[in-house]
Amino acid sequence: MLEARGLGYRKEGRWLLRGVDLSLAPGDFLAVLGPNGSGKTTLLRLLAGELSPSEGEVRLLGRPLGSYTPLELARQRAVLSQNRELAFSFTAYEVAFLGRHPHLEGRERSLDHEKTLEALRRAQALPLRERLYPTLSGGEGIRVEVARLLNQEPRLFLLDEPTNHLDPRY
């Protein structure tokens, strides 16, 4: 499903990571551990297509990541970043609904709203649906972001510190 071969990223004359090879099949779960500044987020951003590698390549479903349009990529993979920033005062429901964007066919349908409510329920964020996103605590915001990712219905989830700010019960 996802492969990286000889992956490296260089910035300002310094290699942030180099020589990464990995292969993930459907159903695989991979956790990358390491100290702060060791390149974990850089690797995730390369695998997501947010950064272009300085060397090597990333392939998703056998295709080079760069050959996907943004819409095609959004239908295949969803990304949870460690930084939670939103410039607009959307409700938690509206943020979760953003996950449906790759599937909208001109207009939103009742099915899109049903799936949004279900994603919020699965992420234990349904009671937050009317709250403004910027007013949510860190853990509440993560749960809404998880609902957005579930609502996107990707084949691949790329999560950067997904348990950050979450209480143990979540």
Side-chain angles (χ1 to χ4, degrees), residues 78-100:
V79 181
L80 178 68
S81 299
Q82 50 177 296
N83 298 323
R84 226 178 44 99
E85 295 180 27
L86 187 63
F88 304 102
S89 289
F90 290 148
T91 64
Y93 180 87
E94 290 167 328
V95 171
F97 190 82
L98 290 172
R100 295 305 306 155

Side-chain angles (χ1 to χ4, degrees), residues 7-170:
L7 197 60
Y9 186 74
R10 185 179 175 115
K11 185 174 181 181
E12 299 174 3
R14 183 173 158 255
W15 288 100
L16 300 183
L17 65 118
R18 195 165 195 198
V20 175
D21 294 315
L22 64 86
S23 181
L24 296 171
D28 282 354
F29 178 89
L30 173 70
V32 178
L33 304 174
N36 295 61
S38 63
K40 301 178 302 290
T41 295
T42 300
L43 175 60
L44 185 120
R45 292 183 68 204
L46 287 164
L47 296 175
E50 293 176 12
L51 294 175
S52 296
S54 301
E55 64 182 16
E57 80 169 341
V58 177
R59 297 179 79 79
L60 178 62
L61 300 170
R63 283 177 53 191
L65 209 55
S67 72
Y68 284 87
T69 67
L71 184 60
E72 289 174 323
L73 202 51
R75 288 180 178 153
Q76 297 301 325
R77 64 96 179 102
V79 181
L80 178 68
S81 299
Q82 50 177 296
N83 298 323
R84 226 178 44 99
E85 295 180 27
L86 187 63
F88 304 102
S89 289
F90 290 148
T91 64
Y93 180 87
E94 290 167 328
V95 171
F97 190 82
L98 290 172
R100 295 305 306 155
H101 178 74
H103 304 287
L104 297 179
E105 297 171 2
R107 296 177 53 132
E108 55 194 63
R109 303 160 293 174
S110 61
L111 176 66
D112 297 310
H113 292 285
E114 291 167 18
K115 288 184 179 235
T116 301
L117 291 171
E118 176 59 18
L120 284 163
R121 187 195 61 73
R122 288 178 59 200
Q124 298 181 35
L126 190 57
L128 306 172
R129 68 183 172 270
E130 297 302 322
R131 298 254 318 268
L132 293 178
Y133 185 79
T135 70
L136 299 177
S137 72
E140 290 169 333
I142 291 291
R143 290 177 8 234
V144 170
E145 290 289 338
V146 167
R148 179 182 57 80
L149 267 63
L150 292 171
N151 206 13
Q152 194 173 331
E153 299 181 316
R155 296 177 69 173
L156 174 68
F157 291 91
L158 297 169
L159 312 173
D160 196 356
E161 298 190 24
T163 59
N164 192 21
H165 300 296
L166 286 179
D167 293 335
R169 72 180 201 162
Y170 295 109

